[in-house]
Amino acid sequence: MNINCNGNLIDLSTPKVMGILNVTPNSFYDGGKHKEINSIIHQVDKMLSEGADFIDIGAYSSKPSAEFVSEEEEIKRLVHIIKELVETFPTIILSVDTFRANVARASVENGVAMVNDISAGLLDDKMLETVADLKVPYIMMHMRGNPQTMQSLTDYNDIVKEMIFYFSERIQKVRSFGISDIVIDPGFGFAKTLEQNYEVLHKMELFSMLELPLLVGISRKSMIYKVLENSPQEALNRTSVLNTIALQKGAKILRVHDVKEAVECIKLVSKLK
């Protein structure tokens, strides 16, 4: 349950918090909110002061039916911000949310310590060899298709069984490249119906058989606000409820928009042991 980030060994036996930093104009919750560098630095400072262990920066919205963004534009959005963050916060541990090898390389070469890939290497056949060459931890998620097609690919006979088989295959592939620091993400909201998301959460402890740290990204997603018939803006309390359940079922990293509340969930759940 350890990962090596920039030479620092991070112990995930105690759950950690990953703050979300979207630098896109169209993310489902905070798209366009952080465009200016001063706003970005302020937001990152806030997340770090509230207890974020990692900051996950993304420049390509992966919400359902998201608009296509070119590789060049994605790199352009990311690199100058990464440089500013590393200069402003020298001890920051950054993750880059991308499924493209060239974006991953440009990000790591400018200070990112981890790659977070929604496709587990299936959308860019150069990704795994690139991560291996960069010698950084690799987060791989369960998804079918791509952000433009994934919501039409939700036909499963046994979703959790099929996800475990998917991860088993991908873990073997990733390890064949010499990548040892691996985190898995069930991919809530990706190629899953509302009911399937809750089935995966209900049975999430079954992923422990893979013997890898588990990242959960539920924050303010539609699986919360559609049930309660409201909006992402009203989903903070509901996010905390599901994050608490996720921790009890084995989550080791909570990927969230709201760091303070996630840290509180971890502290309270830790008292149950």
Side-chain angles (χ1 to χ4, degrees):
M1 287 296 166
N2 297 320
I3 55 173
N4 189 331
C5 297
N6 286 339
N8 298 309
L9 202 60
I10 309 298
D11 179 9
L12 298 180
S13 60
T14 299
K16 301 295 187 285
V17 175
M18 175 178 281
I20 298 169
L21 179 65
N22 289 315
V23 291
T24 60
N26 59 339
S27 292
F28 77 93
Y29 169 60
D30 55 358
K33 187 176 181 181
H34 306 298
K35 292 186 291 187
E36 302 298 327
I37 192 63
N38 288 338
S39 171
I40 291 168
I41 289 174
H42 175 76
Q43 175 65 7
V44 171
D45 184 52
K46 178 176 183 289
M47 290 193 287
L48 292 174
S49 66
E50 290 178 346
D53 302 281
F54 314 103
I55 302 295
D56 191 43
I57 183 170
Y60 186 134
S61 175
S62 55
K63 68 181 181 181
S65 303
E67 296 175 6
F68 177 82
V69 176
S70 71
E71 189 173 281
E72 293 76 13
E73 176 63 20
E74 190 178 356
I75 292 173
K76 180 181 176 183
R77 290 177 180 178
L78 285 171
V79 168
H80 73 101
I81 295 172
I82 292 168
K83 288 179 178 179
E84 288 279 356
L85 292 178
V86 171
E87 182 177 343
T88 306
F89 309 101
T91 61
I92 195 170
I93 301 177
L94 288 170
S95 167
V96 63
D97 180 4
T98 186
F99 55 83
R100 289 165 165 160
N102 288 338
V103 177
R105 182 175 292 281
S107 300
V108 172
E109 288 176 349
N110 283 283
V112 161
M114 184 160 40
V115 174
N116 181 10
D117 179 3
I118 61 171
S119 79
L122 293 172
L123 291 180
D124 187 332
D125 59 10
K126 299 294 183 183
M127 178 60 92
L128 299 185
E129 64 182 73
T130 298
V131 173
D133 182 55
L134 295 169
K135 297 180 174 59
V136 294
Y138 185 56
I139 303 168
M140 60 179 189
M141 195 183 78
H142 173 268
M143 181 179 69
R144 286 175 166 180
N146 59 45
Q148 290 74 36
T149 64
M150 62 186 180
Q151 290 311 104
S152 65
L153 301 171
T154 59
D155 183 22
Y156 303 90
N157 292 318
D158 183 330
I159 186 169
V160 173
K161 181 178 180 181
E162 290 175 49
M163 287 174 67
I164 290 172
F165 182 73
Y166 166 96
F167 278 126
S168 297
E169 284 195 321
R170 298 313 298 162
I171 290 165
Q172 183 179 21
K173 183 71 172 178
V174 170
R175 284 180 170 157
S176 73
F177 282 84
I179 301 167
S180 57
D181 288 352
I182 306 168
V183 177
I184 60 173
D185 176 355
F188 289 101
F190 289 78
K192 298 169 186 70
T193 65
L194 184 67
E195 292 75 16
Q196 287 166 348
N197 282 313
Y198 280 95
E199 181 179 355
V200 172
L201 180 61
H202 177 58
K203 298 177 180 178
M204 205 175 75
E205 64 271 17
L206 296 176
F207 293 108
S208 64
M209 69 177 66
L210 297 168
E211 299 183 331
L212 287 173
L214 190 65
L215 179 148
V216 168
I218 296 176
S219 183
R220 296 183 181 267
K221 286 187 174 178
S222 63
M223 66 178 283
I224 300 171
Y225 65 79
K226 284 185 177 179
V227 172
L228 299 171
E229 299 180 349
N230 45 42
S231 68
Q233 286 70 29
E234 299 171 281
L236 174 55
N237 181 57
R238 292 87 168 180
T239 296
S240 293
V241 171
L242 295 193
N243 277 337
T244 300
I245 294 169
L247 289 167
Q248 292 177 311
K249 289 180 174 289
K252 296 302 181 184
I253 301 175
L254 297 178
R255 183 179 181 272
V256 298
H257 298 91
D258 309 282
V259 170
K260 177 176 176 287
E261 290 77 6
V263 169
E264 290 172 348
C265 287
I266 291 170
K267 287 181 178 179
L268 291 174
V269 171
S270 71
K271 293 298 183 183
L272 298 175
K273 298 179 181 178

